[in-house]
Amino acid sequence: MNYIQLAYKGHREFWMFLITACVVGGIFLVNFVFYLFTDPSELDQAYELMKQIPSNISLIINLIPFAFLLALLFILVKFMHQRSILSLTTTRAKVDFGRIFFAFMMVATFTLVTFFIGYSIDSSDLVFQFDPAKFAVLFLISIILFPFQIGLEEYLFRGYLMQHIGVMVKNKWFPLILTSILFGIAHSANPEVAAIGFWKMMIFYIGTGLLLGIMTLMDEGLELALGFHLGNNLLASLLVTADWTALQTDAIFRSTAEPSMSLISEILIPVLVVYPIMLLILAKRYKWSNWKTHLFGKVEEPPKENYKIIE
């Protein structure tokens, strides 16, 4: 069975899908509606109000809901859809933590190397603010809570939605594209979207969603996407913070630069050059083949003996 076909291991009634998707993903829909119908000046006031909260408390407030929503998703999958969490995670007999670690180290290494190259060339906009006590608290909060945040996003977008939409439309390309667009829209209320520009950030977020979705379909599991997403978000929290980003933390460095991202060097090159290189690295390591089948193939119901509803 391929990854999307794992949805056949449980109940798949449409009303179940609607309840689970709306209840668990409702927070992202609310954020998008908030972004669409709120005056930009009011958005700025909301972001400024959030800055008045101590950074670690603000981080906890932002991340705690993800833990409850991830637990809710698991409960609905297990008891309403009658599926195991393993079937939401991977086609393998057990979760491959080695894959999670490899993807984590790949993105962490890339982030650190490129950051310090840039820092050695021009550090004028970066302030070293490392405080051991504050950083230790931040590190503890991050390693405890970020797995829930990235876990919810991966299990919801690349897991639950990818599988159930794929089963409904009977192909793989449509859920890959749709969940990537939804992933971008889900981040539309982040302050960097207002600071940098909606379409610039959507290219980056949707491109990242496509990267994570391709990883999932080619590798037949969420492990690589989980590791990559965790490495990216942890480094974003611990390495550099700025007044205009979603994460206000006691990171090692603070950027004092005006909010801006070059469309070419900071958005298109990562999405169109760096991401494909990372996919090629993973393809070489894990011996991926049949890209067309994995990404564009049909989704057919497997023989009944290949799956059963969890009792």
Side-chain angles (χ1 to χ4, degrees), residues 117-170:
I117 289 174
Y119 184 76
S120 66
I121 294 172
D122 181 10
S123 61
S124 59
D125 292 327
L126 290 170
V127 176
F128 183 73
Q129 61 168 24
F130 179 68
D131 181 308
K134 290 182 178 180
F135 184 81
V137 175
L138 170 63
F139 182 79
L140 187 62
I141 294 171
S142 297
I143 62 171
I144 292 174
L145 293 182
F146 269 109
F148 293 110
Q149 183 254 326
I150 67 97
L152 174 67
E153 293 186 2
E154 291 309 312
Y155 274 102
L156 178 61
F157 291 102
R158 257 67 62 182
Y160 183 82
L161 293 178
M162 179 101 78
Q163 288 182 336
H164 280 265
I165 293 171
V167 164
M168 285 189 280
V169 301
K170 305 297 183 184

Side-chain angles (χ1 to χ4, degrees), residues 53-284:
I53 304 172
S55 59
N56 285 331
I57 300 299
S58 177
L59 186 61
I60 292 172
I61 291 172
N62 277 305
L63 296 181
I64 280 289
F66 291 96
F68 289 103
L69 289 171
L70 181 60
L72 180 59
L73 175 61
F74 285 172
I75 289 170
L76 289 171
V77 166
K78 185 170 181 61
F79 294 104
M80 186 167 72
H81 288 281
Q82 294 288 290
R83 290 178 57 191
S84 68
I85 306 307
L86 181 64
S87 74
L88 195 65
T89 308
T90 184
T91 56
R92 286 168 273 277
K94 60 182 180 180
V95 177
D96 188 341
F97 289 97
R99 278 174 153 84
I100 296 175
F101 179 76
F102 183 82
F104 179 96
M105 292 305 299
M106 180 179 70
V107 69
T109 300
F110 172 79
T111 301
L112 290 171
V113 168
T114 54
F115 171 79
F116 284 108
I117 289 174
Y119 184 76
S120 66
I121 294 172
D122 181 10
S123 61
S124 59
D125 292 327
L126 290 170
V127 176
F128 183 73
Q129 61 168 24
F130 179 68
D131 181 308
K134 290 182 178 180
F135 184 81
V137 175
L138 170 63
F139 182 79
L140 187 62
I141 294 171
S142 297
I143 62 171
I144 292 174
L145 293 182
F146 269 109
F148 293 110
Q149 183 254 326
I150 67 97
L152 174 67
E153 293 186 2
E154 291 309 312
Y155 274 102
L156 178 61
F157 291 102
R158 257 67 62 182
Y160 183 82
L161 293 178
M162 179 101 78
Q163 288 182 336
H164 280 265
I165 293 171
V167 164
M168 285 189 280
V169 301
K170 305 297 183 184
N171 65 55
K172 299 176 181 179
W173 66 265
F174 183 79
L176 171 61
I177 293 173
L178 180 59
T179 56
S180 299
I181 293 172
L182 292 175
F183 181 70
I185 290 173
H187 292 80
S188 58
N190 285 8
E192 53 261 39
V193 174
I196 301 299
F198 180 82
W199 291 111
K200 277 187 178 182
M201 292 308 301
M202 285 304 104
I203 292 172
F204 182 77
Y205 285 133
I206 293 171
T208 302
L210 283 169
L211 169 74
L212 296 169
I214 292 170
M215 285 182 187
T216 301
L217 291 177
M218 289 302 304
D219 203 53
E220 301 290 5
L222 278 180
E223 292 99 332
L224 295 176
L226 287 167
F228 184 98
H229 202 160
L230 181 59
N232 180 80
N233 286 23
L234 272 180
L235 266 294
S237 171
L238 300 174
L239 189 58
V240 183
T241 188
D243 291 337
W244 47 271
T245 62
L247 298 177
Q248 301 291 310
T249 68
D250 295 311
I252 298 172
F253 295 92
R254 174 173 293 276
S255 173
T256 60
E258 291 298 315
S260 66
M261 287 182 73
S262 166
L263 177 63
I264 301 298
S265 64
E266 296 178 276
I267 295 178
L268 293 181
I269 288 180
V271 170
L272 299 179
V273 178
V274 177
Y275 286 178
I277 291 173
M278 289 181 170
L279 286 174
L280 290 175
I281 292 171
L282 294 173
K284 180 71 173 178

